[in-house]
Amino acid sequence: MVQAHSKAVGCPVEFIFFPLLTAIAYCTGIQSSVRVNPEWHEKMILWFVVAARKGGKKSPALERVKDAMAQIETNRQAAHKTAHPDATSRDLPQILVEQFSFEELHDIMKRNNGSVLGMFDEFLTLLNQLDLFKSGASLDRKTLLSLNGGAKWSRNFKKSEPSNLPKTHANFCGMIQPNYVAEMLEQHDSDGLVDRLLMVCPQEVSYYREDYVTPMPEDTPSMKELLQNCLTLHRQDDDVVYTFTDAGIDHLLQ
């Protein structure tokens, strides 16, 4: 399926694979984790940044995954409206985010069981809005660093009761142009934030003309159905733990 989408767009497979992997990490839910060995457990939280030059089909590739998740989000909101006819737009569950304040992000995650999926055409969009109106404070950066580990998130509000998320599950993926990577490293690595990002720089493909783009085979599985099935499979209160096999650990170390 990944290859079919990449050929249809005319882009490297990584442009499809890593956003899709991030969406799958979101769909596994807040209770899921990976057991590498008895002492090493990781939560299903991925922050990928895919680097490629302008015009390399980054946005069309990312949109394929975003569109699939947007359909799931729309269906979930419709179901919520059916169950709660008086619900307002602020009551609806929201999966996807791109531009937001951290006050808004907390509210979105509270309505979505502590989870959120951020997908950015330009990853610096996320980093450049940190502490934008905080007069030099670094509260947003500290919050983002804690979200990388799935920590609890509490906020105090002047006009309402304090709000607490016992667990968090924030998955992010975005594209970036190589010339912005140096800027990102210079401006955003003082506290180790950039070290949390998994950087990918795919080899460029040599065909971008429509003549060389392959139509999607009719039997290609639906990306939306794949992601919805993953959500359904993990829709439970019990912890879900995936364990590395010995062969998997060897492959990881290689």
Side-chain angles (χ1 to χ4, degrees):
M1 181 178 69
V2 171
Q3 290 184 343
H5 279 280
S6 68
K7 289 180 179 179
V9 174
C11 69
V13 294
E14 292 87 349
F15 288 11
I16 301 290
F17 177 77
F18 289 104
L20 180 59
L21 187 60
T22 307
I24 290 173
Y26 166 86
C27 291
T28 60
I30 199 168
Q31 299 292 103
S32 298
S33 63
V34 174
R35 178 183 180 273
V36 182
N37 60 45
E39 289 78 33
W40 183 4
H41 287 243
E42 293 288 346
K43 296 183 179 181
M44 292 287 210
I45 295 176
L46 295 176
W47 291 7
F48 277 115
V49 182
V50 183
R53 291 190 295 181
K54 186 176 181 180
K57 300 290 185 73
K58 301 186 300 296
S59 294
L62 186 65
E63 283 299 320
R64 298 222 163 194
V65 182
K66 288 175 67 175
D67 286 348
M69 291 303 303
Q71 294 176 48
I72 293 173
E73 180 181 77
T74 299
N75 293 342
R76 180 177 290 182
Q77 291 177 350
H80 187 89
K81 289 180 181 178
T82 300
H84 307 277
D86 297 331
T88 66
S89 59
R90 288 188 60 85
D91 299 322
L92 299 179
Q94 182 176 342
I95 295 174
L96 291 164
V97 295
E98 185 166 2
Q99 291 186 327
F100 52 82
S101 68
F102 272 70
E103 291 77 7
E104 292 170 331
L105 183 64
H106 188 278
D107 182 58
I108 290 168
M109 294 178 69
K110 185 176 181 180
R111 287 183 272 127
N112 198 34
N113 193 33
S115 297
V116 75
L117 176 62
M119 292 202 152
F120 308 90
D121 283 329
E122 178 50 65
F123 196 80
L124 281 178
T125 300
L126 170 62
L127 299 182
N128 288 339
Q129 63 191 354
L130 298 179
D131 301 306
L132 190 58
F133 304 105
K134 298 293 195 306
S135 302
S138 59
L139 295 179
D140 288 352
R141 299 181 66 86
K142 292 177 181 177
T143 298
L144 195 61
L145 283 165
S146 67
L147 292 180
N148 182 258
K152 69 177 182 179
W153 186 11
S154 300
R155 291 193 69 91
N156 295 316
F157 300 98
K158 294 181 179 179
K159 299 182 179 180
S160 62
E161 294 294 323
S163 179
N164 180 54
L165 297 173
K167 295 181 180 180
T168 55
H169 186 232
N171 284 278
F172 298 131
C173 183
M175 305 298 190
I176 193 170
Q177 297 181 44
N179 55 305
Y180 290 150
V181 173
E183 175 186 340
M184 183 174 68
L185 292 173
E186 180 179 353
Q187 297 182 6
H188 298 285
D189 198 34
S190 59
D191 51 8
L193 177 59
V194 174
D195 295 334
R196 270 71 171 180
L197 306 179
L198 302 171
M199 298 289 298
V200 183
C201 189
Q203 183 176 355
E204 294 182 347
V205 297
S206 59
Y207 51 88
Y208 287 134
R209 292 179 51 193
E210 296 298 326
D211 295 346
Y212 297 102
V213 174
T214 304
M216 289 280 292
E218 293 183 1
D219 59 350
T220 303
S222 164
M223 189 177 293
K224 181 245 181 183
E225 290 182 5
L226 169 70
L227 293 168
Q228 181 59 66
N229 289 339
C230 185
L231 273 168
T232 302
L233 178 64
H234 294 84
R235 189 175 296 165
Q236 53 188 351
D237 295 329
D238 296 334
D239 291 349
V240 179
V241 180
Y242 291 92
T243 303
F244 266 76
T245 63
D246 291 341
I249 294 176
D250 290 341
H251 185 72
L252 174 67
L253 295 176
Q254 292 174 4

